[in-house]
Amino acid sequence: MYTQGLDGQVPDTAAHTDEATLEQRFLARVDAEEKIEPKDWMPVRYRNTLIRQISQHAHSEIVGMLPEGNWITRAPTLKRKAILIAKVQDEGGHGAYLYSAAETLGVSRDQLVEQLLSGKAKYSSIFNYPTPTWADVGAIGWLVDGAAIMNQIPLCRCSYGPYARAMVRVCREESFHQRQGYDLMLQLARGSEAQKRMAQEALNRWWWPALMMFGPSDANSTHTGDSQRWKIKRFSNDELRQKFVDFTVPQAKFLGLAVPDPELRWDEHRQQYEFGPIDWSEFDQVLKGNGPCNAERIAARRNAHAAGAWVREAASAYAAKRRQPSANIAA
Amino acid sequence: MNAKLPNVDAQALFHYVLRLGDLSLILGQRLGEWVGHAPALEEDLGVANIALDLIGQARLLLSYAGEIEGCGRDEDKLAYLREQGGYFNAILAEQPNGDFGQTIVRQVLIDAFQLELYERMTGSLDERLASIAAKSVKEVRYHLRYSSGWLVRLGDGTEESHARVQSALNTLWPYTVELFAEDDLDQLMADSGIAPRLSAVHAAWSARLEGILADSTLLRPADRPHLWHGKRGQHSEHLGYILAEMQYLQRAYPEACW
Ligand SMILES: [Fe+2]
Ligand SMILES: [Fe+2]
Ligand SMILES: [Fe+2]
């Protein structure tokens, strides 16, 4: 509607309109909370920022299938197995529609996948941590999906229409995942001593990496300024992290688990939790490829891609034959 | 339980329902190994979808088996605490995934079997089985559409893909004999109106396979005698590993609830 309106204006004014005017008009639309759609004019930097962010998000969903997929064959009840398969499948689905959203910006999924496999593109560092026990599956659902929701709910109002719409759907499913993960943890926390230990150790493993999911603290965040101006990002990393801590600490208490932060305390005056310093050197190392599972995660994606090459080739060969039935008959 | 129990020995029915449930469970377990490692994202989703349906069928069937047995074993006790001699799936289901082509061949063979079986079982005198069959047949029809769609593309794709699936078909075909080898239990179930005659299922399966293989430009291997019967608890070496992995947590923490 407003998009079509703008499209209609473009032919008569475009010739006389310079970049600055277009950008002004773009920013006015963003300020007015209008959605920017694929065919609309947008600054190159806006487009590139979105491509980077959406594709990283898509890659994260795909790589994120691996740590939890690790437990599909070992899930301890058939119901939990079904829930886990469905969850991992959902993550793949999120990847698929995020790739589609990125494609509206003029890149192809193949290009993006190539960037993931070559190591050029990043994905969320959280998935470079291992899932040694069943409790890690619960901790991921509870904490990682929980943190993802905090990050993504504001993205449902992102200025770029296709991304915002994808996020609405994704968030709905992520909140299921978060509840299922918490339920898994609750079962462990109310279980045997061995199960409680398993749950506590998983919380110890995932707590700090989950806090790192929100990215560097605001003082050191490079992309925040433009993203906030363009209404891609609505809250700062630190604001979102604080929200997550305030939301999650009471849940840990309810589970009877200890958050592995000796400095954690309730600040009565600010009405929020104060927490200890994050070890950003660990974050930097994982980002550089030195996390516990970076190599395995990329290797798993590369292996799947390489082992599936003959399948994809066969599918295109078959499709090509169907497109030219007469050529086949003639030959 | 209000469902009408047919007039048949409970132990026999228990055993028969396990055959059905174990087939779905073991095949679902195998497909679960693929998730995250398939040739393309759509295939990760497709395989996960089928695995999910199969685990769902297994849950219904194992729960029912537990009720028939009446010893307090639920779906999880049956799935996680039986030893391999007490598993009654056809050996075909436990065969390794191999490459994607081998997985697809195994899937087509079993999907077509389950489709012909469940279509006929919707009229079972055992109301519970009839309703499980009615639910499952819709799922299985979709599974076969997926698997046969891939078999056609791979069979009639490139030279390499054709060679790969033909070889997988040759490898797996001998295991299909067991699906249709009617034993006393199959006969009893058919005589009691609980299950269709396997000969009828076989004829329909054969005709269906004929068409799929023709579309896939694949040759149907010759039938060979098959002496080893998973459905009587005689298994290949693979099942032990499948169960070791699947049952590990339940075995390691026998006191725990999950
Ligand atoms: Fe997701
Ligand atoms: Fe996500
Ligand atoms: Fe999720």
Side-chain angles (χ1 to χ4, degrees):
Chain A
M1 286 141 285
Y2 40 75
T3 309
Q4 283 165 349
L6 184 77
D7 282 349
Q9 286 169 16
V10 169
D12 26 343
T13 54
H16 314 285
T17 312
D18 57 7
E19 284 278 300
T21 316
L22 286 169
E23 178 142 3
Q24 261 177 10
R25 189 181 298 162
F26 165 85
L27 288 173
R29 292 186 57 207
V30 168
D31 287 341
E33 300 284 336
E34 288 183 26
K35 289 283 177 256
I36 307 300
E37 295 299 332
K39 285 182 180 161
D40 297 345
W41 186 90
M42 60 186 85
V44 175
R45 284 174 305 131
Y46 176 81
R47 184 183 297 275
N48 290 341
T49 298
L50 280 169
I51 291 175
R52 193 189 66 239
Q53 180 170 339
I54 299 174
S55 63
Q56 277 184 13
H57 192 168
H59 299 327
S60 302
E61 302 284 354
I62 301 304
V63 177
M65 297 170 79
L66 298 170
E68 287 186 281
N70 180 38
W71 279 92
I72 287 176
T73 58
R74 292 178 293 168
T77 70
L78 295 183
K79 186 177 171 196
R80 296 271 180 210
K81 190 190 289 288
I83 289 173
L84 182 56
I85 295 172
K87 190 207 180 210
V88 176
Q89 186 191 29
D90 282 350
E91 306 302 4
H94 298 168
Y97 32 92
L98 284 163
Y99 281 130
S100 302
E103 284 185 317
T104 63
L105 293 159
V107 282
S108 72
R109 196 215 277 189
D110 286 349
Q111 276 172 287
L112 297 175
V113 168
E114 189 43 53
Q115 289 171 3
L116 172 67
L117 298 180
S118 72
K120 192 180 160 225
K122 297 271 178 261
Y123 56 86
S124 179
S125 283
I126 195 80
F127 299 117
N128 291 317
Y129 287 85
T131 54
T133 73
W134 172 245
D136 294 280
V137 172
I140 289 184
W142 172 35
L143 301 173
V144 175
D145 287 79
I149 295 166
M150 290 288 167
N151 260 326
Q152 291 169 16
I153 283 183
L155 286 172
C156 297
R157 294 189 293 130
C158 162
S159 59
Y160 189 56
Y163 193 27
R165 289 188 289 273
M167 279 304 103
V168 171
R169 210 168 141 187
V170 167
C171 281
R172 209 178 303 138
E173 293 179 353
E174 302 296 15
S175 67
F176 266 121
H177 300 165
Q178 197 269 351
R179 267 176 278 162
Q180 287 162 341
Y182 190 72
D183 179 71
L184 194 165
M185 291 300 271
L186 192 59
Q187 183 78 47
L188 297 178
R190 292 186 176 166
S192 67
E193 281 313 308
Q195 287 175 301
K196 281 181 205 161
R197 200 180 326 119
M198 209 183 269
Q200 181 62 57
E201 287 170 359
L203 175 57
N204 297 348
R205 271 190 289 278
W206 293 93
W207 175 255
W208 291 106
L211 294 197
M212 294 176 202
M213 281 176 72
F214 296 94
S217 67
D218 297 346
N220 305 316
S221 183
T222 43
H223 299 299
T224 299
D226 277 346
S227 287
Q228 287 198 329
R229 176 68 191 88
W230 290 328
K231 301 203 173 175
I232 296 172
K233 197 172 173 58
R234 301 211 176 228
F235 299 98
S236 76
N237 293 351
D238 286 335
E239 285 169 335
L240 290 168
R241 189 165 15 242
Q242 184 67 51
K243 248 180 151 172
F244 175 75
V245 170
D246 292 340
F247 187 75
T248 310
V249 169
Q251 295 181 330
K253 285 198 174 142
F254 186 77
L255 292 174
L257 299 178
V259 173
D261 178 355
E263 294 177 42
L264 185 76
R265 61 173 195 87
W266 177 249
D267 184 329
E268 189 56 47
H269 178 63
R270 288 157 67 210
Q271 286 293 300
Q272 65 184 31
Y273 283 96
E274 201 166 286
F275 52 95
I278 291 171
D279 178 5
W280 290 111
S281 67
E282 174 178 325
F283 181 75
D284 290 341
Q285 283 303 325
V286 179
L287 210 60
K288 280 187 193 133
N290 300 322
C293 297
N294 294 61
E296 277 131 280
R297 299 296 183 238
I298 281 295
R301 290 313 310 152
R302 284 185 189 149
N303 290 343
H305 193 75
W310 70 274
V311 175
R312 297 189 303 274
E313 278 160 28
S316 352
Y318 179 81
K321 285 186 208 176
R322 296 305 105 178
R323 275 197 297 274
Q324 306 162 320
S326 51
N328 278 340
I329 292 161
Chain B
M1 194 178 60
N2 337 324
K4 188 178 79 177
L5 254 192
N7 187 19
V8 64
D9 176 49
Q11 187 57 34
L13 185 61
F14 171 68
H15 184 159
Y16 183 74
V17 174
L18 285 180
R19 281 186 180 178
L20 304 178
D22 291 346
L23 185 68
S24 289
L25 176 56
I26 297 302
L27 186 60
Q29 176 75 6
R30 274 294 192 212
L31 291 180
E33 296 171 18
W34 269 109
V35 180
H37 307 279
L41 180 50
E42 282 66 23
E43 276 38 75
D44 274 320
L45 304 182
V47 166
N49 211 32
I50 297 176
L52 202 52
D53 286 343
L54 289 168
I55 299 301
Q57 292 166 13
R59 294 182 63 195
L60 293 173
L61 289 160
L62 295 190
S63 296
Y64 182 38
E67 289 171 28
I68 296 165
E69 188 192 37
C71 299
R73 289 204 279 182
D74 60 10
E75 58 182 53
D76 289 327
K77 287 217 165 63
L78 285 168
Y80 288 92
L81 299 174
R82 264 183 304 154
E83 291 173 6
Q84 58 175 312
Y87 260 81
F88 300 120
N89 59 283
I91 289 177
L92 179 57
E94 68 204 43
Q95 292 309 298
N97 285 341
D99 63 15
F100 188 70
Q102 181 157 329
T103 293
I104 285 297
V105 169
R106 185 186 63 199
Q107 199 62 36
V108 167
L109 298 173
I110 296 178
D111 288 344
F113 169 72
Q114 288 187 321
L115 178 57
E116 300 300 347
L117 182 77
Y118 286 138
E119 265 183 359
R120 289 163 180 77
M121 205 176 274
T122 55
S124 172
L125 293 182
D126 182 316
E127 288 173 5
R128 188 77 167 270
L129 275 185
S131 88
I132 293 173
K135 178 183 182 290
S136 304
V137 77
K138 290 182 212 132
E139 297 168 347
V140 166
R141 198 170 286 133
Y142 162 78
H143 301 170
L144 183 62
R145 202 177 310 144
Y146 177 88
S147 61
S148 64
W150 266 112
L151 191 62
V152 171
R153 271 177 279 175
L154 296 176
D156 192 17
T158 62
E159 229 171 275
E160 180 188 6
S161 68
H162 177 87
R164 280 180 186 251
V165 285
Q166 182 66 61
S167 150
L169 185 64
N170 298 345
T171 303
L172 294 178
W173 190 265
Y175 297 104
T176 62
V177 175
E178 180 197 356
L179 296 172
F180 308 105
E182 193 175 70
D183 63 9
D184 291 348
L185 183 56
D186 293 314
Q187 250 169 44
L188 176 66
M189 292 300 127
D191 291 344
S192 322
I194 292 171
R197 289 255 166 246
L198 275 183
S199 53
V201 174
H202 191 193
W205 178 88
S206 242
R208 198 182 278 275
L209 254 289
E210 204 73 54
I212 295 171
L213 293 181
D215 290 345
S216 313
T217 69
L218 293 168
L219 295 174
R220 178 184 181 132
D223 285 347
R224 286 207 309 244
H226 182 76
L227 304 175
W228 215 241
H229 292 280
K231 61 189 193 179
R232 291 178 216 150
Q234 303 167 316
H235 290 281
S236 69
E237 291 175 349
H238 304 297
L239 186 64
Y241 290 94
I242 294 175
L243 297 185
E245 192 171 338
M246 184 173 86
Q247 298 180 337
Y248 136 73
L249 273 176
Q250 290 267 2
R251 300 274 190 190
Y253 303 92
E255 84 290 4
C257 287
W258 302 95

